[in-house]
Amino acid sequence: MTPAALAALHAEAFGAAPRPWTEGEFASLLAAPGVFLRAVPDGFALGRALAPAPGGEAELLTLAVRPRARRRGAGTALLRAFEGEARARGAAEAFLEVSARNGPARALYSRAGWTAAGRRPGYYADGSDALVLRRGLDAVSTGLSP
Ligand SMILES: CC(C)(COP(=O)(O)OP(=O)(O)OC[C@H]1O[C@@H](n2cnc3c(N)ncnc32)[C@H](O)[C@@H]1OP(=O)(O)O)[C@@H](O)C(=O)NCCC(=O)NCCS
């Protein structure tokens, strides 16, 4: 998926808030160290493995599924693909931020085994708090043969 396609899908998925990420921002992110993309036609997950060594951390930068394709498991599949790739890159745990007001995403993450690790009051432009969620990756499948 090209930076232009990522920007278009991100805007469609998130609407106006928060500000959609631009094509240039996606191009810069894709070129940054440790950043990886997992995509299907109707969605994508963008992640970063912060320390490419055993015991490192990973971060889910964004997750987006087109409105017309939701509630069919794509978001969960992309999240699992992010977790598997992060583990394959040596991360032992992963983190993400989600708005306290984002019910659908919070439900998805909770069901997928992510748990609360912190809160950033008033973090988003709309005044909502960011919840920091964490998931240990020890039990996550990398999809690789032993
Ligand atoms: C959050 C998002 C990625 C979910 O994608 P999705 O493909 O619909 O997710 P799934 O189909 O895998 O849903 C898995 C579970 O999450 C929960 N869930 C997802 N959307 C929900 C909603 N609107 N309301 C309540 N629960 C919801 C449900 O438990 C769901 O399982 P179910 O459909 O069997 O009930 C999608 O809604 C999206 O792109 N939202 C806008 C962008 C965004 O908020 N991204 C996350 C930012 S941190």
Side-chain angles (χ1 to χ4, degrees):
M1 208 177 269
T2 63
L6 292 171
L9 205 158
H10 190 265
E12 187 183 342
F14 280 90
R19 178 185 66 79
W21 297 3
T22 66
E23 177 181 349
E25 286 168 330
F26 276 108
S28 299
L29 277 170
L30 289 170
V35 171
F36 59 89
L37 177 72
R38 285 293 173 272
V40 293
D42 287 317
F44 67 91
L46 193 66
R48 174 162 49 200
L50 297 174
E57 288 180 8
E59 179 185 9
L60 181 66
L61 300 172
T62 191
L63 172 67
V65 174
R66 283 188 217 282
R68 67 167 183 259
R70 289 179 187 164
R71 303 304 292 267
R72 289 187 223 143
T76 302
L78 288 164
L79 184 63
R80 294 307 188 208
F82 157 77
E83 293 169 355
E85 180 64 20
R87 171 122 197 265
R89 289 171 178 244
E93 56 182 349
F95 294 88
L96 64 80
E97 282 158 359
V98 59
S99 167
R101 294 181 190 164
N102 190 342
R106 289 182 62 184
L108 184 163
Y109 296 136
S110 171
R111 214 169 103 161
W114 290 68
T115 54
R119 189 175 193 110
R120 300 197 169 115
Y123 181 81
Y124 292 105
D126 66 357
S128 64
D129 295 354
L131 306 179
V132 181
L133 305 185
R134 175 193 177 278
R135 178 158 156 79
L137 300 177
D138 286 350
V140 166
S141 166
T142 61
L144 302 174
S145 303

